[in-house]
Amino acid sequence: MDEKINISKENSPTLLNHQFDYSDMHSMSLDELKNLRRKVESKVQNLQGELSDLAFHNYRTYVDVSTTAEYCREKFSQMDTLMRQSSSSFPNLEEQIDQFKNQSTQLLNEFKLLSDVESTNFLIWEIIRLPKSEPDFILRVIEVYRECMYDTIILYLAVFPDTDTQQRFVNEDTRWERWTGSSQNYLLQCWAQKNIERLLSYVQCCEYKSLLDIEMMVSKLMSCAFSFGRMGLDFRPLVHCKFSQMVLNIFQNKIEAATKSFTSNEKIDLIDDGIFETTQSELKKEISRVDLSAPLELCIWDDLCIFGNSIIDALNEIRHSIYINSIRRVFNILHFSFQNIFAWMDSFLSNQENIFIVKKATFLLIKQFLPFINNCFFSCFPYEQCAKKYFTIGNCSLNEYKNTFNLMNLNIFGLCKNESLFFEMIKEFDLKENEEQNILIEEESINTKNLENEEIVKNEEEEKKEENLQVE
């Protein structure tokens, strides 16, 4: 008993509610001793519970410490691996840091230059304001080149005359003698050719607002090239090669822009048939005095009319600017444009609800719009000017010329996934058209018979009247 109390006192200085001497126990009653014993036992149980809790918490702390140590070991191992891997890239990192430093310096210098350029007093703005892209300026450049080259060549020939008279074509004016490859002035010809190439490259780099500017410039270059023809410097074929390609590129860009604008629509927007039928008679009265080459049915598709006007404008611009060997390229550009349009329409066939509107739009394109554009093409490039002058009738007839440049060929649906469906639509259109033509023929024959019968009846009545008059 004394031993337990001593242990308790060492661990907890306030185990009992009051302090007493052990000698007091001799004076306590039995009940007081029992009560004291119960208190001591209660304190002992509390101490045992606290010791159990302490042991449990210490074990949990031990487990946490062990887990933390293992986690730290893994992390330090990973760090060691990463450091070993990164150590090989340190030289590259140092090099990149140096590059960044140099580029930062360069960026700072460019920023300072940019601030100078933004100033209105900077010299570059004076250079930009020069009339480099004006057509008159380009024509003046060509004229200056021609005059300077001409004067230089004449002066050179006067100072260093050609002594190889056997290789030259004699002319009354010695300034216009034709040069040959064996002439000692062949070096002068090479100098002139180099200047011509510089002139053409300079002219090609300029911007042109319209094809009319290009036509004026090409005409000036052709005149310049022809003036050097007697010197063996006729570069007209070179002018044709370079600038016909430029004209075709401008035409192609315009057609591609119009096609992209047309196919960017998210739906096929057609006017309702009822609205068109109610206004059709009024439209016919308004245009009765005008020679309208485009079909009136195209009015129900506004986007198609805009696209058609863009094509006509582009064709009108190049009709006098290209040569017959470029007509095939023009046709291919138009044909590819219509292939893209049919491919755009083909994308709507994935939804069954759009089949009716696609069929209606296909009818307008195939039966109305394509023949109209084909007629515009043949109007810009007629057979008499583009084929008949250069081919005999046996080699290229009018029908062959039209079949060659027929937009509605078998490859028009080459970019469509539902190509067979479009061909079925064409067969249906042709069948319906044949039926309508047969009906018209029958109606015309009936009307003709009726007119003949009316004339016969009229003639019989007149004969009867004459007979009656004679009898009287």
Side-chain angles (χ1 to χ4, degrees):
M1 185 70 177
D2 294 338
E3 186 178 357
K4 291 182 179 180
I5 293 173
N6 289 332
I7 294 173
S8 299
K9 287 178 70 177
E10 291 177 0
N11 291 279
S12 179
T14 58
L15 293 175
L16 301 176
N17 293 331
H18 63 280
Q19 299 293 332
F20 60 91
D21 295 332
Y22 291 106
S23 60
D24 294 339
M25 295 176 62
H26 298 284
S27 61
M28 290 182 180
S29 63
L30 182 61
D31 293 334
E32 290 177 349
L33 290 173
K34 290 181 178 180
N35 188 21
L36 181 60
R37 182 179 179 179
R38 285 193 297 271
K39 290 181 179 180
V40 171
E41 290 177 352
S42 177
K43 293 297 181 180
V44 170
Q45 290 178 358
N46 290 336
L47 285 173
Q48 289 178 350
E50 291 178 0
L51 289 173
S52 299
D53 293 339
L54 181 61
F56 174 76
H57 289 301
N58 288 338
Y59 177 76
R60 184 175 181 180
T61 304
Y62 171 76
V63 173
D64 291 341
V65 169
S66 300
T67 305
T68 303
E70 181 66 21
Y71 177 78
C72 292
R73 187 186 65 80
E74 292 178 358
K75 289 298 180 183
F76 278 109
S77 177
Q78 293 177 0
M79 289 174 61
D80 181 65
T81 304
L82 292 174
M83 289 298 293
R84 291 179 184 276
Q85 294 176 354
S86 302
S87 60
S88 60
S89 61
F90 283 157
N92 294 331
L93 181 60
E94 293 178 357
E95 183 180 355
Q96 291 178 0
I97 291 174
D98 293 336
Q99 291 179 358
F100 176 76
K101 183 179 179 181
N102 296 331
Q103 291 177 358
S104 299
T105 305
Q106 183 180 0
L107 180 62
L108 179 61
N109 295 332
E110 291 179 354
F111 179 76
K112 292 180 180 179
L113 180 61
L114 180 61
S115 61
D116 294 336
V117 172
E118 289 178 348
S119 176
T120 56
N121 298 325
F122 197 63
L123 183 61
I124 189 65
W125 296 113
E126 298 295 332
I127 298 175
I128 292 176
R129 293 190 187 99
L130 291 176
K132 289 185 177 182
S133 61
E134 294 295 331
D136 295 339
F137 180 77
I138 298 299
L139 298 179
R140 182 57 184 163
V141 168
I142 297 172
E143 188 65 25
V144 169
Y145 260 83
R146 189 189 68 81
E147 293 178 357
C148 292
M149 289 176 61
Y150 179 82
D151 294 341
T152 303
I153 292 173
I154 296 301
L155 181 61
Y156 184 89
L157 292 176
V159 177
F160 305 102
D162 192 356
T163 58
D164 190 4
T165 57
Q166 295 180 355
Q167 297 293 333
R168 294 184 299 177
F169 295 93
V170 180
N171 194 297
E172 295 179 358
D173 190 351
T174 57
R175 296 176 303 173
W176 296 105
E177 293 173 353
R178 185 179 297 277
W179 298 338
T180 62
S182 61
S183 173
Q184 70 176 16
N185 292 323
Y186 187 68
L187 182 62
L188 181 61
Q189 188 180 24
C190 294
W191 168 84
Q193 289 177 348
K194 184 177 180 180
N195 284 327
I196 290 172
E197 291 177 356
R198 289 181 60 188
L199 172 62
L200 293 177
S201 63
Y202 179 78
V203 171
Q204 282 183 293
C205 293
C206 297
E207 296 180 358
Y208 300 96
K209 297 180 180 179
S210 65
L211 289 175
L212 182 61
D213 298 336
I214 297 179
E215 290 181 9
M216 294 172 58
M217 181 268 301
V218 171
S219 177
K220 190 69 174 180
L221 281 174
M222 286 293 190
S223 176
C224 177
F226 181 73
S227 65
F228 285 97
R230 294 183 180 180
M231 298 181 181
L233 292 174
D234 189 353
F235 56 94
R236 285 179 293 178
L238 186 61
V239 174
H240 161 256
C241 178
K242 289 183 177 295
F243 292 95
S244 62
Q245 184 65 34
M246 181 186 295
V247 171
L248 288 173
N249 290 338
I250 294 175
F251 174 77
Q252 183 176 4
N253 292 335
K254 289 186 177 182
I255 297 300
E256 288 179 353
T259 305
K260 185 177 180 180
S261 177
F262 181 79
T263 56
S264 62
N265 296 315
E266 297 181 355
K267 64 177 182 178
I268 302 175
D269 191 8
L270 302 181
I271 298 176
D272 187 71
D273 291 337
I275 299 175
F276 176 72
E277 290 177 358
T278 55
T279 58
Q280 185 177 9
S281 58
E282 297 179 0
L283 290 174
K284 287 183 178 180
K285 292 179 181 178
E286 293 179 0
I287 64 175
S288 59
R289 300 179 181 179
V290 182
D291 185 12
L292 184 66
S293 58
L296 184 61
E297 288 76 8
L298 296 179
C299 295
I300 66 174
W301 198 351
D302 292 338
D303 296 329
L304 186 63
C305 293
I306 296 172
F307 175 68
N309 289 331
S310 300
I311 292 178
I312 294 172
D313 292 340
L315 286 173
N316 286 330
E317 286 186 353
I318 67 168
R319 63 187 306 174
H320 301 299
S321 303
I322 65 171
Y323 298 88
I324 60 170
N325 58 351
S326 301
I327 296 177
R328 168 62 67 177
R329 172 80 183 278
V330 174
F331 174 79
N332 291 337
I333 292 172
L334 292 175
H335 189 265
F336 183 69
S337 173
F338 284 108
Q339 282 183 326
N340 286 312
I341 289 176
F342 280 109
W344 169 73
M345 293 174 57
D346 181 66
S347 63
F348 292 98
L349 292 176
S350 58
N351 189 353
Q352 296 293 328
E353 297 178 355
N354 296 328
I355 293 180
F356 175 76
I357 193 72
V358 171
K359 184 181 292 187
K360 187 176 179 181
T362 304
F363 176 81
L364 287 174
L365 277 171
I366 293 176
K367 294 299 182 180
Q368 305 291 342
F369 189 72
L370 280 177
F372 169 67
I373 296 298
N374 242 139
N375 291 334
C376 294
F377 179 86
F378 292 130
S379 177
C380 293
F381 310 108
Y383 168 76
E384 290 75 12
Q385 297 180 4
C386 299
K388 191 174 182 179
K389 288 183 178 180
Y390 307 97
F391 303 100
T392 60
I393 297 177
N395 291 331
C396 182
S397 63
L398 177 60
N399 291 331
E400 290 175 345
Y401 181 74
K402 289 185 176 181
N403 291 332
T404 301
F405 298 110
N406 184 15
L407 290 171
M408 186 53 210
N409 52 31
L410 297 178
N411 198 28
I412 194 67
F413 306 116
L415 301 179
C416 300
K417 296 180 180 179
N418 301 299
E419 183 178 1
S420 59
L421 183 58
F422 282 101
F423 282 114
E424 291 178 1
M425 292 181 186
I426 293 176
K427 291 180 180 179
E428 183 180 347
F429 298 154
D430 293 339
L431 181 61
K432 185 177 180 180
E433 186 177 1
N434 292 332
E435 291 177 354
E436 292 177 353
Q437 289 180 354
N438 293 331
I439 292 173
L440 290 175
I441 292 172
E442 291 178 358
E443 290 179 353
E444 288 179 357
S445 62
I446 292 172
N447 292 331
T448 303
K449 290 181 180 179
N450 292 333
L451 290 174
E452 291 177 354
N453 293 330
E454 290 178 358
E455 289 181 358
I456 292 172
V457 171
K458 186 177 180 180
N459 292 331
E460 290 179 352
E461 291 179 353
E462 290 179 354
E463 290 177 356
K464 288 181 179 180
K465 289 181 180 180
E466 291 179 356
E467 291 177 356
N468 293 330
L469 291 173
Q470 291 177 359
V471 171
E472 292 178 355

